[in-house]
Amino acid sequence: MFQNASILDLAEKYKPLWALDSVGSLLEWDMETYMPLGSSKPRGFTIAHMQLLRQERMLQLTDLVSNAEKSSGLNDPEIGFLRVLRRDLDYYTKIPPKLLEDIFRTSTEGTVVWREARRKSDFAMFKPYLEKMVGLKRQEAEKLGYKGNPYNALMDRFEEDLTTDDIDRIFTPLRSELKGTLAKVLSAGKFPRTHPLEEARYDEAAMKRVNDDALKLLQMPERTFRMDVSTHPFTTSMSIEDVRITTRYEGQDFKASLYSTVHESGHAIYDLQIDPSLDYTPLARGTSLGVHESQSRFWENFIGRSREFIRRIYPSLKANLPFVAPYSEEDVYRYVNLAKPSPIRVEADELTYNFHIMVRYEIEKKLIGGELEVAEAPAVWKDLMEEYVGVQPRNDAEGILQDVHWSEGMFGYFATYSLGNVIAGMFYNRILKDLDLKATVANGELDKIKDWLKQKLHRYGATYSPKELQNRAFGEVYNPHWLIKYLQEKYLA
Ligand code: MG
């Protein structure tokens, strides 16, 4: 842990900032779970002021950080601590308050209009807001500075040091290999496109019992973790000792609820297994969105959608959801692993999910790079969907208007979903060398998998950048080969 005197001093002065972040997480958690619907205005006011307070306190650390950076012989957590603080300070010093405010306002107004535009499937309504946001994001990229493509500056905010060169290197083989795989899987028909269980309606209280059993199977801690309900499931961490997830209940197609629970638990396991010595520092979080998503995807897909996991959860399904009774374990396995090209990203299966990301990535990169006009984007979307997934959205609601991210100005975010899949593939390949994964899951010894992940990854928190962490754990960075291998083995065996 920290030993250097100037680092220890800095860590002490950082504590109020940690507390502000913790309160901010709690406010956002409350906003999505229990806050009355009409209370968003005062909540928005509070969050905005807390962010200003945070910025002010952060900037007060500038000289201390600069001095500490001159120290020699720092250990890894000390170096990581300074790296994370410097990234924060950089953002606050490079982005003028006026630009931040413009982005914030355009996002607040744009999100309301986007919601209405999606409901009416009317892209023209949202277009002026998207144009404004793209302009602001281009300014942000210029202020932040970049090498190569301006889009790199925006991706770096979500995944440190990620560049379009990295993504092109990942997506090129992923695209060609998975297109061929998808075609074979669809023509073989072993993995169906639809299943009667998709239509079965469940009782929410009964489904909650299934989800609680899934949490038991995952050995989630009872004292420092809890699960609530929200429309869009998420995970939030107030501290290593207070991590919360949400799940959703739509009343039909139970796999959506079950796998939201398992997915978010994967995020929570990462947060809960960070070394306790890092708590109250900015290292007590996942190192990047991509690495975080690798944990949720690993548990959701590689573990949760395996035959062995289905075997463990099947008794609970049968006990709580009477309509499951006529179906065998193998039927349920097919139901949770449909091969179903869809225009909607959040409904995508493991084979087609990354294509949805590629569509968004190519459009974002060109919009920010000035190679594409907003007005042309819906048509490009349709063409790319046809080319990659083989389906065309029937309208803009099913197409370019489906995600909230662009209205909120989150350009550079989407790629991290695919990085999550790619990194999960790398973990899967490595864990197989140390554990008989099938037997471990079949025996319900999921703590062994958790321990493995803790040693290789979780305990470090944000000590290492995502690329450093991968190099330490695997000796390679964002290698898509392992994901391709896993998917081909799963779907073509
Ligand atoms: Mg996630």
PDB file of all heavy atoms in Angstrom, residues 263-264 267 292-293 296-297 417, ligand 1:
ATOM      1  N   HIS A 263     -25.583 -10.913 -14.800  1.00  0.00           N
ATOM      2  CA  HIS A 263     -24.698  -9.911 -15.400  1.00  0.00           C
ATOM      3  C   HIS A 263     -24.259  -8.877 -14.353  1.00  0.00           C
ATOM      4  O   HIS A 263     -23.060  -8.630 -14.164  1.00  0.00           O
ATOM      5  CB  HIS A 263     -25.432  -9.219 -16.554  1.00  0.00           C
ATOM      6  CG  HIS A 263     -24.645  -8.127 -17.225  1.00  0.00           C
ATOM      7  ND1 HIS A 263     -23.981  -8.315 -18.413  1.00  0.00           N
ATOM      8  CD2 HIS A 263     -24.419  -6.834 -16.881  1.00  0.00           C
ATOM      9  CE1 HIS A 263     -23.378  -7.184 -18.769  1.00  0.00           C
ATOM     10  NE2 HIS A 263     -23.631  -6.264 -17.857  1.00  0.00           N
ATOM     11  N   GLU A 264     -25.233  -8.301 -13.669  1.00  0.00           N
ATOM     12  CA  GLU A 264     -24.896  -7.254 -12.693  1.00  0.00           C
ATOM     13  C   GLU A 264     -24.114  -7.843 -11.521  1.00  0.00           C
ATOM     14  O   GLU A 264     -23.235  -7.177 -10.965  1.00  0.00           O
ATOM     15  CB  GLU A 264     -26.155  -6.531 -12.213  1.00  0.00           C
ATOM     16  CG  GLU A 264     -26.953  -5.821 -13.328  1.00  0.00           C
ATOM     17  CD  GLU A 264     -26.143  -4.854 -14.178  1.00  0.00           C
ATOM     18  OE1 GLU A 264     -25.165  -4.258 -13.674  1.00  0.00           O
ATOM     19  OE2 GLU A 264     -26.490  -4.685 -15.384  1.00  0.00           O
ATOM     20  N   HIS A 267     -20.514  -7.682 -12.338  1.00  0.00           N
ATOM     21  CA  HIS A 267     -19.933  -6.360 -12.039  1.00  0.00           C
ATOM     22  C   HIS A 267     -19.669  -6.244 -10.534  1.00  0.00           C
ATOM     23  O   HIS A 267     -18.622  -5.753 -10.108  1.00  0.00           O
ATOM     24  CB  HIS A 267     -20.917  -5.249 -12.440  1.00  0.00           C
ATOM     25  CG  HIS A 267     -20.955  -4.949 -13.907  1.00  0.00           C
ATOM     26  ND1 HIS A 267     -19.852  -4.525 -14.616  1.00  0.00           N
ATOM     27  CD2 HIS A 267     -21.986  -4.957 -14.804  1.00  0.00           C
ATOM     28  CE1 HIS A 267     -20.202  -4.293 -15.889  1.00  0.00           C
ATOM     29  NE2 HIS A 267     -21.489  -4.565 -16.027  1.00  0.00           N
ATOM     30  N   HIS A 292     -14.486  -3.899 -16.670  1.00  0.00           N
ATOM     31  CA  HIS A 292     -15.668  -4.143 -15.844  1.00  0.00           C
ATOM     32  C   HIS A 292     -16.685  -4.999 -16.598  1.00  0.00           C
ATOM     33  O   HIS A 292     -17.235  -5.970 -16.072  1.00  0.00           O
ATOM     34  CB  HIS A 292     -16.319  -2.825 -15.414  1.00  0.00           C
ATOM     35  CG  HIS A 292     -16.545  -2.764 -13.932  1.00  0.00           C
ATOM     36  ND1 HIS A 292     -17.307  -3.699 -13.266  1.00  0.00           N
ATOM     37  CD2 HIS A 292     -16.094  -1.920 -12.975  1.00  0.00           C
ATOM     38  CE1 HIS A 292     -17.305  -3.427 -11.971  1.00  0.00           C
ATOM     39  NE2 HIS A 292     -16.577  -2.349 -11.760  1.00  0.00           N
ATOM     40  N   GLU A 293     -16.916  -4.639 -17.857  1.00  0.00           N
ATOM     41  CA  GLU A 293     -17.887  -5.381 -18.652  1.00  0.00           C
ATOM     42  C   GLU A 293     -17.406  -6.817 -18.899  1.00  0.00           C
ATOM     43  O   GLU A 293     -18.222  -7.730 -19.054  1.00  0.00           O
ATOM     44  CB  GLU A 293     -18.149  -4.643 -19.975  1.00  0.00           C
ATOM     45  CG  GLU A 293     -19.342  -5.144 -20.769  1.00  0.00           C
ATOM     46  CD  GLU A 293     -20.702  -4.872 -20.119  1.00  0.00           C
ATOM     47  OE1 GLU A 293     -20.764  -4.171 -19.082  1.00  0.00           O
ATOM     48  OE2 GLU A 293     -21.713  -5.389 -20.642  1.00  0.00           O
ATOM     49  N   SER A 296     -18.867  -8.865 -16.060  1.00  0.00           N
ATOM     50  CA  SER A 296     -20.307  -9.130 -16.140  1.00  0.00           C
ATOM     51  C   SER A 296     -20.617 -10.112 -17.269  1.00  0.00           C
ATOM     52  O   SER A 296     -21.432 -11.022 -17.119  1.00  0.00           O
ATOM     53  CB  SER A 296     -21.071  -7.825 -16.329  1.00  0.00           C
ATOM     54  OG  SER A 296     -20.596  -7.119 -17.446  1.00  0.00           O
ATOM     55  N   ARG A 297     -19.927  -9.940 -18.400  1.00  0.00           N
ATOM     56  CA  ARG A 297     -20.166 -10.846 -19.536  1.00  0.00           C
ATOM     57  C   ARG A 297     -19.677 -12.247 -19.241  1.00  0.00           C
ATOM     58  O   ARG A 297     -20.265 -13.234 -19.676  1.00  0.00           O
ATOM     59  CB  ARG A 297     -19.421 -10.342 -20.781  1.00  0.00           C
ATOM     60  CG  ARG A 297     -19.912  -9.051 -21.287  1.00  0.00           C
ATOM     61  CD  ARG A 297     -21.044  -9.295 -22.256  1.00  0.00           C
ATOM     62  NE  ARG A 297     -21.714  -8.030 -22.465  1.00  0.00           N
ATOM     63  CZ  ARG A 297     -22.807  -7.881 -23.157  1.00  0.00           C
ATOM     64  NH1 ARG A 297     -23.366  -8.917 -23.719  1.00  0.00           N
ATOM     65  NH2 ARG A 297     -23.360  -6.711 -23.287  1.00  0.00           N
ATOM     66  N   TYR A 417     -18.292  -2.267 -24.657  1.00  0.00           N
ATOM     67  CA  TYR A 417     -19.110  -3.482 -24.537  1.00  0.00           C
ATOM     68  C   TYR A 417     -18.416  -4.652 -25.244  1.00  0.00           C
ATOM     69  O   TYR A 417     -18.369  -5.772 -24.728  1.00  0.00           O
ATOM     70  CB  TYR A 417     -20.498  -3.282 -25.159  1.00  0.00           C
ATOM     71  CG  TYR A 417     -21.418  -2.328 -24.432  1.00  0.00           C
ATOM     72  CD1 TYR A 417     -21.994  -1.255 -25.095  1.00  0.00           C
ATOM     73  CD2 TYR A 417     -21.747  -2.523 -23.096  1.00  0.00           C
ATOM     74  CE1 TYR A 417     -22.885  -0.386 -24.459  1.00  0.00           C
ATOM     75  CE2 TYR A 417     -22.628  -1.665 -22.452  1.00  0.00           C
ATOM     76  CZ  TYR A 417     -23.195  -0.596 -23.129  1.00  0.00           C
ATOM     77  OH  TYR A 417     -24.060   0.243 -22.500  1.00  0.00           O
TER      78      TYR A 417
HETATM   79 MG    MG B   1     -22.722  -4.153 -17.866  1.00  0.00          MG
END
